[in-house]
Amino acid sequence: EAKDALVKVSEERTLEELRVKFLGKKGVVKEFLSQLGSLDVEMRKELGKVANEVKDEIERLIAEAESRIAAIKREAKLKEGVVDVSLPMKTLPVGYPHPLTLVTQKMVSIFQSMGYTVVDGPELEKEEYNFDMLNIPKHHPARDDHDSFYVQDGWLMRTHTSPVQIRTMLNKKPPIAVVVPGRCYRRDAVDATHSHTFHQMEGLVVGEGISFADLKGTLLLWAKLMFGEQTQIRLRPDYFPFTEPSAELAVTCPVCHGPGCPVCKHTGWVELMGCGMVEPTVLKNCGIDPSKYSGFAFGLGIERVAMTVYGIKDIRHFYENDIRLLEQFRA
Ligand code: FA5
């Protein structure tokens, strides 16, 4: 009877009732044992042994039932405690992309959409690539504009991304269409528009029949995609030893606030980059035949573009990591 009941039991309370019924002070087993007194010794011994075996067996079945009931309870609790994934989560503080990263990504994706690839170069650069092969030999006055951090003889922290033009042309033959975003270094006094460490993006296109019209069309399209359809560009003659002719590109002020505009100072124009047709000597330095190929190049200051896009007045804001500034660039 005990066995039949105990293998089926699935509730704590019923189990306790069965325990009392069979093993309790007035339970079946005790009752049976109390009746043994009236029997003779041999019989008492024999039946006492059987009674103890029965008691052990009932205890074992109770223990089994206990662990079965515990498992059932655990199962029920798990079902009850299912995580409700639709509940609102606790938000943890997260970072946001830096404005320089946002502007770089946007510029890169515009040029990628025109078929350019992104290439990289070292920040610790050979003087030969940073200057000489770009047609800026020693004692050339243009070197004065690039006051440099020399690391050891012949090596410096690159002053612009233009040495990656050289690295690209040494490694790959035309057609070439690359952009190079990256960090640059100059021994410039820090002020609202200058930093010793800043970022540029270089562009280089080399192929057959590349003309100044290609340069102009490309940069006009870039300006419209970057600052808006209404944007116009202005090209004025400039000088760089590695391009000829060279120009300075300005765009119509995208945020003009009229008099006192922090971006264009109410001139209506923002000067953004240097550009020009790759100097034939530079092509020759890289083993590219200038009678067959021509190219254009440009180089812009990423901070300058970001300041224009977001109307930021002081370049130092970019490097201070002030959370109040960064939080304004939440996606
Ligand atoms: C150059 O560095 C040329 N390599 C650009 C170029 C490339 C011309 C290809 C033609 C063909 P420049 O020295 O003017 O040019 O620097 C370009 C831009 O870098 C500047 O307009 C400015 O926006 C940024 N820049 C230069 N120095 C600093 C500085 N100290 N802090 C922040 N931005 C700077």
Side-chain angles (χ1 to χ4, degrees), residues 200-322:
Q200 286 190 345
M201 192 175 83
E202 194 82 8
L204 174 70
V205 172
V206 184
E208 283 182 55
I210 300 293
S211 72
F212 200 90
D214 297 313
L215 165 92
K216 195 175 164 186
T218 302
L219 294 179
L220 177 61
L221 179 57
W222 169 76
K224 284 177 179 292
L225 292 171
M226 194 69 206
F227 302 107
E229 183 53 36
Q230 73 293 344
T231 308
Q232 292 300 313
I233 60 168
R234 182 189 71 189
L235 288 159
R236 281 178 165 178
D238 202 343
Y239 173 75
F240 297 99
F242 35 93
T243 49
E244 178 61 32
S246 303
E248 167 216 84
L249 177 128
V251 298
T252 45
C253 182
V255 295
C256 197
H257 299 311
C261 174
V263 173
C264 73
K265 307 199 171 64
H266 201 216
T267 60
W269 293 96
V270 193
E271 287 147 18
L272 282 186
M273 67 171 92
C275 56
M277 299 307 291
V278 181
E279 164 71 44
T281 313
V282 175
L283 293 175
K284 237 184 279 171
N285 287 344
C286 299
I288 293 175
D289 179 1
S291 69
K292 184 166 179 208
Y293 297 108
S294 54
F296 67 79
F298 56 87
L300 56 82
I302 294 177
E303 278 83 348
R304 182 117 180 91
V305 175
M307 289 166 88
T308 305
V309 171
Y310 299 118
I312 293 172
K313 285 186 211 164
D314 196 312
I315 199 170
R316 286 165 287 204
H317 287 314
F318 290 126
Y319 317 116
E320 281 164 354
N321 281 327
D322 186 329

Side-chain angles (χ1 to χ4, degrees), residues 27-85:
V28 177
V29 175
K30 279 265 158 64
E31 183 79 4
F32 180 78
L33 287 170
S34 71
Q35 287 169 15
L36 295 183
S38 59
L39 300 172
D40 67 50
V41 183
E42 277 308 305
M43 209 51 171
R44 206 156 55 199
K45 250 191 183 166
E46 189 69 18
L47 288 177
K49 204 177 138 218
V50 173
N52 273 321
E53 278 169 17
V54 169
K55 184 175 146 260
D56 289 350
E57 178 63 4
I58 293 175
E59 276 171 351
R60 197 185 60 77
L61 288 167
I62 288 176
E64 243 176 55
E66 270 170 357
S67 60
R68 195 173 59 246
I69 290 169
I72 292 168
K73 278 174 77 177
R74 221 171 22 243
E75 195 65 24
K77 207 167 184 179
L78 277 178
K79 282 210 182 103
E80 221 173 73
V82 166
V83 177
D84 182 353
V85 292

